[in-house]
Amino acid sequence: MKLLLICTAAYFLAFGHSSNAFSAATIPASAKSRYVDLKDWFLTADDSYFSPKLEILPSTRGGLATGGYGCFAGEDIDEGEVLLKIPVSCCVTLEDVLNDVECGPSFANLMKKAGPGSDTVVMAGYLAKECLLLKEFDRRIAEAATAGDDSEMRRLANIKFASYLRTLPWERGVNAQEHVLFWKDEDVDALLKGSLAYNDAKETRATVKMATKVLDAIVSPVVRKARAQETENSKDEGGFRFPWQQEPEEEVEDEVLEGLEEAVRGAFVIILSRAFAATVGENKQEDRLEPFLDMLQHSNTPNVSHNTVDGGSIVEVKASQKIMSGEELFNQYKSEEDENMPYHKFFTRFGFVPGVVEPVAELIAARSTIFFPQRAEI
């Protein structure tokens, strides 16, 4: 119990209560720039639409204290008014993953061998690869490289979803994102053991660890090339040797690519907490990341609705009721009455408990019935 309280205290200090009173002027320039870039990129796509009545501001569900953002009405919005038109070309889809020039065939082969559920793994691999390449591009730019320096820089300068990737929660706390995948093993055991969420948390974490090892073989060569880590001259490293001198033993590298574990973990969090199930073909469902729609906070009484139109090529978001100026837009991730999504599963999937404002660690410390089954009194 003492360890539990220590972990709870540390958690609370890092992700405690936050004020909800913020103005646009308080948005950090770096964050504001990221969303401006995202909107500019988004509007270059054919048939895209971003209502001039929408504003991106610190969310009322966390806000600047934790880095969370949402969409707000800058003016009164009428019921039925179109707010967003998101072309599928702006969404990260399984088609993007399988058509990836560098890793697409390997991802397709992995899906063929692994079977159901592997689509999440390959999408995580694709996102992780692009994230690491984007970081390498930023590193080179910081060292005064330019986008046209060489073929590798030209490739890095044209990462398709770069503007979108920069807004996603790759790390704990970014965009107010919490998730058991970001926790340390000892914290999972100390805080969740004995709870309804424990098995889900352990299974999800084990899946991510296994996926990282599998994806390393696919993603690493591409990222190492970008980092100029090839070993083309490895055969000549030893120079001249006398006949009695042994060939140096080949080093076997057990560790995965530097940064890959964190990138895959972040990619899984992004998919679990933000992806939408889209119907593709004959009633086949695939996960898809849909910019702007995925940044709307959850409510069991949402004020927007979304559907695919134009033969499935556009995701259209409309106001499902009148929204007054200054009000935040809310989407419904899952019905809170869904028997297949009890609150503890909401936490292990999305990283939060609906309708609860206090830190989850406080609920755990208090052995809330959300997480801990109650024993019947004798």
Side-chain angles (χ1 to χ4, degrees):
M1 184 63 181
K2 183 177 180 181
L3 178 58
L4 174 63
L5 291 174
I6 291 172
C7 291
T8 301
Y11 182 104
F12 179 76
L13 288 172
F15 299 97
H17 292 285
S18 57
S19 171
N20 293 328
F22 300 104
S23 66
T26 62
I27 300 178
S30 58
K32 186 175 183 180
S33 174
R34 285 197 297 272
Y35 288 113
V36 168
D37 290 345
L38 174 61
K39 184 179 175 182
D40 288 345
W41 166 78
F42 175 77
L43 291 176
T44 62
D46 292 340
D47 301 319
S48 62
Y49 176 72
F50 188 98
S51 171
K53 294 184 178 181
L54 295 184
E55 295 180 343
I56 297 174
L57 298 170
S59 173
T60 57
R61 306 290 175 88
L64 268 186
T66 52
Y69 291 86
C71 280
F72 288 75
E75 303 176 28
D76 291 350
I77 296 172
D78 293 327
E79 181 178 351
E81 191 170 340
V82 175
L83 304 174
L84 292 165
K85 288 187 177 181
I86 308 168
V88 172
S89 62
C90 289
C91 303
V92 183
T93 67
L94 188 59
E95 183 177 358
D96 289 303
V97 175
L98 299 181
N99 287 338
D100 181 60
V101 174
E102 295 154 328
C103 299
S106 296
F107 287 144
N109 188 46
L110 175 57
M111 286 188 66
K112 184 177 180 180
K113 291 181 178 179
S118 57
D119 52 345
T120 302
V121 174
V122 297
M123 180 171 282
Y126 172 77
L127 290 171
K129 172 180 72 74
E130 297 293 88
C131 172
L132 292 174
L133 292 178
L134 189 57
K135 286 186 175 182
E136 174 60 19
F137 174 75
D138 290 344
R139 184 192 68 78
R140 292 191 181 199
I141 291 296
E143 294 180 356
T146 63
D149 276 357
D150 53 39
S151 60
E152 195 60 43
M153 275 300 286
R154 286 192 290 274
R155 184 272 182 256
L156 294 175
N158 288 284
I159 294 173
K160 179 179 179 182
F161 297 104
S163 296
Y164 178 48
L165 295 176
R166 292 187 188 281
T167 67
L168 296 177
W170 293 98
E171 300 174 357
R172 186 182 193 180
V174 176
N175 290 355
Q177 183 66 60
E178 176 59 293
H179 206 281
V180 291
L181 288 177
F182 289 140
W183 293 15
K184 295 179 180 179
D185 289 339
E186 53 266 32
D187 292 338
V188 173
D189 288 334
L191 292 170
L192 294 181
K193 197 166 187 176
S195 75
L196 297 168
Y198 184 67
N199 287 339
D200 272 354
K202 294 288 282 187
E203 289 173 9
T204 303
R205 291 166 65 83
T207 297
V208 173
K209 288 181 180 179
M210 180 62 70
T212 302
K213 294 179 180 179
V214 173
L215 292 169
D216 184 54
I218 300 174
V219 173
S220 287
V222 177
V223 179
R224 291 187 192 280
K225 180 182 177 183
R227 293 175 178 174
Q229 292 178 341
E230 301 115 316
T231 56
E232 294 176 357
N233 300 321
S234 59
K235 294 181 180 180
D236 300 326
E237 287 177 356
F240 173 79
R241 293 183 183 85
F242 289 104
W244 59 83
Q245 290 179 309
Q246 294 183 350
E247 291 284 335
E249 293 184 6
E250 184 177 348
E251 293 184 7
V252 179
E253 191 169 332
D254 293 326
E255 295 184 0
V256 299
L257 175 74
E258 182 182 355
L260 181 63
E261 185 176 358
E262 294 81 5
V264 171
R265 184 189 305 126
F268 265 90
V269 170
I270 289 164
I271 294 168
L272 289 172
S273 64
R274 303 170 79 97
F276 293 88
T279 301
V280 180
E282 296 182 2
N283 297 322
K284 182 181 178 182
Q285 294 228 313
E286 294 178 357
D287 283 342
R288 187 163 70 191
L289 293 173
E290 301 173 353
F292 291 117
L293 179 58
D294 67 357
M295 73 181 294
L296 301 189
Q297 303 291 339
H298 166 80
S299 173
N300 209 37
T301 54
N303 52 14
V304 304
S305 62
H306 53 93
N307 294 287
T308 54
V309 297
D310 293 346
S313 64
I314 300 286
V315 179
E316 188 175 72
V317 182
K318 291 183 176 182
S320 57
Q321 62 188 56
K322 187 173 181 63
I323 304 172
M324 305 304 292
S325 178
E327 292 182 349
E328 185 167 3
L329 276 58
F330 291 104
N331 188 24
Q332 185 182 52
Y333 297 178
K334 285 275 188 180
S335 170
E336 295 175 20
E337 286 75 43
D338 188 342
E339 294 182 357
N340 296 317
M341 188 61 69
Y343 278 11
H344 68 274
K345 284 186 176 290
F346 242 97
F347 176 67
T348 54
R349 168 72 188 268
F350 298 108
F352 68 94
V353 177
V356 175
V357 295
E358 64 261 39
V360 172
E362 288 189 349
L363 297 178
I364 296 170
R367 301 190 72 80
S368 165
T369 55
I370 292 174
F371 289 99
F372 293 90
Q374 298 299 298
R375 297 175 181 175
E377 294 185 5
I378 299 176

